[in-house]
Amino acid sequence: MIEFSLNGKKITSDAEADTPLLWVIRDEFGLKGTKFGCGIAMCGACTVHFNGSPVRSCSLPIGAIANAEIRTIEGLENQHPLQKAWVEHQVPQCGYCQSGQIMQAAGLLATNANPSEEEIEAYMSGNLCRCMTYARIKDAIKDVATQSDAVVQIYNPKLESEQTQGVS
Amino acid sequence: MTRLRKDSIEHSRRSFLIGSVGSGLLMAFAPSINALEVITGGASQQLSGKLFSPTVWFEIDNNGAILVNVARAEMGQHVGTAIARIVADELGADWSHVEIKHVDTDPKWGYMVTGGSWSVFQTYVPMSQAGAAGRTVLIEAGAKLLGVNAHDCTTQNSMVVAGSQSISFADVVKSGKIDRVFSADELAEFKPKSPASRQLIAKPSQALDIPAKTNGTAEYGIDVELENMVYARPVVPPTRHGSVVKGVDDSDAKKVKGYQGYQILNDPSNTIQGWVTVLADSYYGAVKAGNAIKVEYDVGETANVSEQDIISQGEALAKDKTSGTLVVEKGDITAAAKNAKTSLESVYRTSSVLHFTMEPVNAAVEFKDGVCHVHCGNQWQSLFLPVVAKAVGMSEDKVIIHQYYLGGGFGRRLAGDYMIPAALTAQAVGKPVKLVFTREDDARFDCVRSPSVQQMNAYWNAEDKLLGIEHGAAAGWPTLAMAPAFMPDGVDKKGKYDPFSIAGADHWYTLDNHRVRAINNTLAQKTFVPGWLRAVGPGWTGWAVESFMDEVAHKQNVDPIDFRLSLLDASGKNAGESPVSVGGAKRLAKVLTDIRKQTNWGQSLPKNQGLGIAISSGQERDMPTWGACVAHVEVDPETGAVKVHKLTGLLDCGTVVHPDGALAQTQGSMLWGMSLALFEGTAFEKGQVKDTNLNTYSPLRMNNLPELDISFVQNTEFPTGLGEPGLIAVAPAIANAIFNAVGARVRDLPIRPEAVLAAMPS
Ligand code: FES
Ligand code: FES
């Protein structure tokens, strides 16, 4: 039995220790916003936050996450500035990759409040978008990054983990 | 394709029903069959009995909320938003009151297909008319309530307005007993609103499906949960056709926790052969059991086929001038060839390409009360519903396909073959089953874009006048594999052809002598199920046509844009027809002329850099979207690596119904074009594709993103499709730019650095 926190709630799972976190989140706890794309950590559709940092849940066995804090797209509770920017910039097409894109981008802004164009590209290139919405993803991230200090505050990695998740 | 489209837009010849149902107002097209005869009990009765064609219908409730029900698949093109805006604009609705809903199939309903960039094209007129009919009825009822003459009323912001008086749609719906039938002829009287009076069409708007796609709540096929369902994963056999299961050893699978056994599938529809599915109480359990199980096969005859085998057959066929079906036959190309003083021959090839939709294919199936319920995202329910019925041995009216968001379509989900193993497994185990393909399973079961070979020949006379061009195109044919009834006859009536595997070769350049042959590569056809892939035929015929036009221009020492313009005279069959292709080749000439200015064509660039041009006319001659693309590339002379600095795209698709959606689709399709040009290509090896995941298959990512400059010709012509045409011109524009940069002519897709290096003049 493994205990960890999912979107701020302590939970336990009886799944086999080698089961990827992705399937536990989706099928045991019913949070379907995190998606399955490749299963080999190369598309980013399954990205969640592990103690505040983006990880590929398809390749993270739950045996390795005991007592960790896991946050999924649902855990952003529609409050993250990136989510608003995603709507403003009309980013999603099919939308399937976008939970992962947003979680990855949130990870970027949590450690780098004002990334350069190259830094955005380098950080986001592990996330495939088959609909090729890259130009809009980039614009939306830039938009949030150039907003007020408040955003920087939320993403200050030195603050307690609760806040670094980007949920105010 | 013409037949397909006529079938699917036949509701333009249907009557239209408007009636009070419950406390709301419902509007819908009548059923297609004997539309007038079945209307016996008035519109309200028909509507409340749901005796209507639900291709699209809309409702206004007594609070004024407008619900537009859309039967088309939502796969990123925001089609529901575009359709809803057409309706809402004609109604005079307040856009903030409009919602859309994607509906399920039912066999008694209309034809359901979303592909080929047709959605807006097909629905523009019927939806405009439907909205206008709705407006008429709301005005008539509103005028009565206001005590004014209907002629003095208009609608705006969901109100019926007469001078200073007004009444909301909600109040009209609440107090009116409405019952009206518009015959097909009456409906046809409604002309779409003039561009100047439109309030929504062509204005900025946000797509209605987007918010759910930013917070994890959008529901895709893979998210479906059915009570008591079992998870399943397929074991994909070594050949697409003809595999037979000889034995299964699941002793290792039994060690997997939650393993629930396997099924050997027997498919009466013959869609799949030699399939086993593995069941478990969790998906990961099914994945592990699938890895552990050992299946022995008698394999099909294509077990050793390689990409090169398929290409070699294509080359031989393309070379043989007697092969294939004649699709274009103008003048006498044989005589031209005989009389020619000079000639040019080029052969273009494209590799197998995967759809690689982000959401691997999947389906959940449940048999309940004698009905087979299939849950999945699909683009063409009408094609596979009968196949599911046959597979499970039930009648078509006992199969329902429930629609969800599609995690990418791109043509993959036009085929519904992935429903079959799910349905057969659920039937065999007597429980609901959710079958999910792993990425590797998905790739191995993909209906790939067939490898292709095209041979182009051009002929000149003694005065160096271009006499004509001959084009032979060999590939596996999706339509032959999946919908052979849609194959038309060749121009000489000697054989049929797949229109989706040759469109684009029948281009808008005027040539005195022009022959096009569509050739089926029979080895490709045997080895796999060829699929439709974004931009379909023109996605690869355009590669040959537009590369070759450049080669011909350079051989004549003429600027490639001047050369193209000289052939775009809009004469004869290239004059176009009202309304859809009005202007014909002139509109291509315009985008070409405009993009030349826009990109400062002819500017001098640093060494190893170049601009390249290509044009496209969309998916088909009778639904042209006119486009041009200029690529700005830089070639590394040491490695042959190509960097795309910028892609400029200019498109004329008539009225742009949903401008931001159009831009998004074109950004996506142009980057797809670039991905197919430089990054994507797999190969058959022992009868299957060798690249099955992202470790070796590498579509374009953000670090490859070039600068994009995309614009649309502003006009008010008939709207044509946009989901795909942006793709077509990109690869040839890049190849033509490579030639202008370093003098290397590449003829194979994808363009690999080694090929560029090898083609560079020393
Ligand atoms: S599914 Fe995890 S990275 Fe692709
Ligand atoms: S929006 Fe479709 S994969 Fe990214």
Side-chain angles (χ1 to χ4, degrees), chain B residues 702-724:
Chain B
M702 193 186 276
N703 54 357
N704 310 120
L705 183 67
E707 186 185 341
L708 290 173
D709 180 359
I710 297 169
S711 49
F712 299 92
V713 174
Q714 298 294 323
N715 66 29
T716 53
E717 301 299 350
F718 195 93
T720 56
L722 259 185
E724 305 175 290

Side-chain angles (χ1 to χ4, degrees), chain A residues 93-98 129-131 133, chain B residues 358:
Chain A
Q93 288 190 23
C94 86
Y96 194 78
C97 72
Q98 300 294 349
C129 174
R130 191 45 162 159
C131 301
T133 63
Chain B
M358 278 294 276

Side-chain angles (χ1 to χ4, degrees), chain B residues 360-403:
Chain B
V361 292
N362 61 79
V365 177
E366 176 173 31
F367 290 82
K368 207 162 112 187
D369 305 327
V371 174
C372 172
H373 295 269
V374 183
H375 300 260
C376 66
N378 187 258
Q379 289 174 258
W380 193 353
Q381 295 94 329
S382 304
L383 179 66
F384 261 80
L385 191 143
V387 184
V388 173
K390 188 164 178 196
V392 298
M394 291 166 64
S395 61
E396 291 177 25
D397 61 348
K398 292 285 180 277
V399 178
I400 295 180
I401 299 174
H402 299 267
Q403 182 70 288

Side-chain angles (χ1 to χ4, degrees), chain A residues 113-128:
Chain A
N114 232 322
S116 68
E117 191 117 336
E118 291 70 36
E119 285 171 327
I120 296 177
E121 281 173 16
Y123 201 89
M124 297 303 296
S125 285
N127 286 64
L128 182 70

